[in-house]
Amino acid sequence: MREIGKSYPRLPLTAPGQEDDPVRFLAWLGEAIPMVEHLGIREMTRDGERLIWTLDLTANLNDKGTGFGGALTAQTTLMGWCWTTLWLRRHSLARNVVVAEASQRFLAPVTNHYRLECEPEAENGPERLAEQLAQKGRGRIVLVQRLWCGESLCLEARGDYAVLGGS
């Protein structure tokens, strides 16, 4: 059981440039952040700089039988945190990540199982983050999350994630 005010132990870092095992990372995430097990995340994959989750709508239904906005918002925020954390881990950096600012635009009801995609807003965002970390020991990156039901874009979110100094 997690204790209030106590950090959860980090996963050991992978070798530089190596990707985390998605199943292992999601298992750790579910232990570190208890609500994760209730979000309906089925699978996590990568496509270049894009992080992709496949999710089950059943775990996130509202009273109308569609996606609950609060759950969808939590998922987009968490996904940006995961994107940033996984990027740091690929670069052998153990740092704390926090969301500094986030916004969402709900475009259509979520009526079926769905996928979330997260990627940097700017193509050079990861390079700028690397430069900031090298120069100042901390940095920020803006990420965009998009929720798709089939070919329909249902939600767009944007988050500014801060990587804190130190370890």
Side-chain angles (χ1 to χ4, degrees):
M1 178 106 183
R2 289 296 318 279
E3 292 184 47
I4 296 170
K6 294 204 177 195
S7 295
Y8 194 77
R10 291 186 176 143
L11 270 176
L13 288 173
T14 58
Q18 192 174 26
E19 294 282 336
D20 275 281
D21 171 35
V23 173
R24 182 173 176 233
F25 182 80
L26 284 175
W28 170 84
L29 189 65
E31 294 168 3
I33 304 172
M35 74 178 278
V36 167
E37 70 181 62
H38 304 288
L39 293 179
I41 303 168
R42 291 183 180 175
E43 182 182 34
M44 179 175 81
T45 58
R46 289 196 79 79
D47 180 11
E49 288 293 345
R50 183 177 298 142
L51 180 63
I52 303 163
W53 285 356
T54 304
L55 296 109
D56 182 0
L57 178 59
T58 308
N60 302 292
L61 288 171
N62 63 18
D63 59 317
K64 295 163 219 50
T66 61
F68 174 57
L72 304 177
T73 297
Q75 290 168 353
T76 61
T77 302
L78 178 64
M79 187 178 215
W81 181 90
C82 288
W83 187 100
T84 308
T85 298
L86 289 165
W87 183 90
L88 288 165
R89 291 177 56 75
R90 276 198 323 275
H91 292 83
S92 298
L93 298 169
R95 298 288 180 81
N96 287 319
V97 176
V98 297
V99 61
E101 186 176 337
S103 62
Q104 301 79 30
R105 284 185 29 217
F106 295 87
L107 305 169
V110 178
T111 57
N112 207 336
H113 304 308
Y114 54 99
R115 77 181 183 281
L116 266 173
E117 299 178 358
C118 179
E119 62 190 341
E121 182 177 65
E123 189 174 314
N124 66 344
E127 291 80 20
R128 284 198 329 248
L129 178 59
E131 289 169 8
Q132 293 169 4
L133 291 170
Q135 292 171 1
K136 300 186 259 180
R138 64 186 190 287
R140 286 183 174 227
I141 187 163
V142 176
L143 301 171
V144 175
Q145 300 88 21
R146 292 180 182 91
L147 186 153
W148 299 88
C149 282
E151 298 304 313
S152 297
L153 179 61
C154 297
L155 167 65
E156 271 188 325
R158 182 181 182 278
D160 181 0
Y161 293 84
V163 178
L164 307 179
S167 57

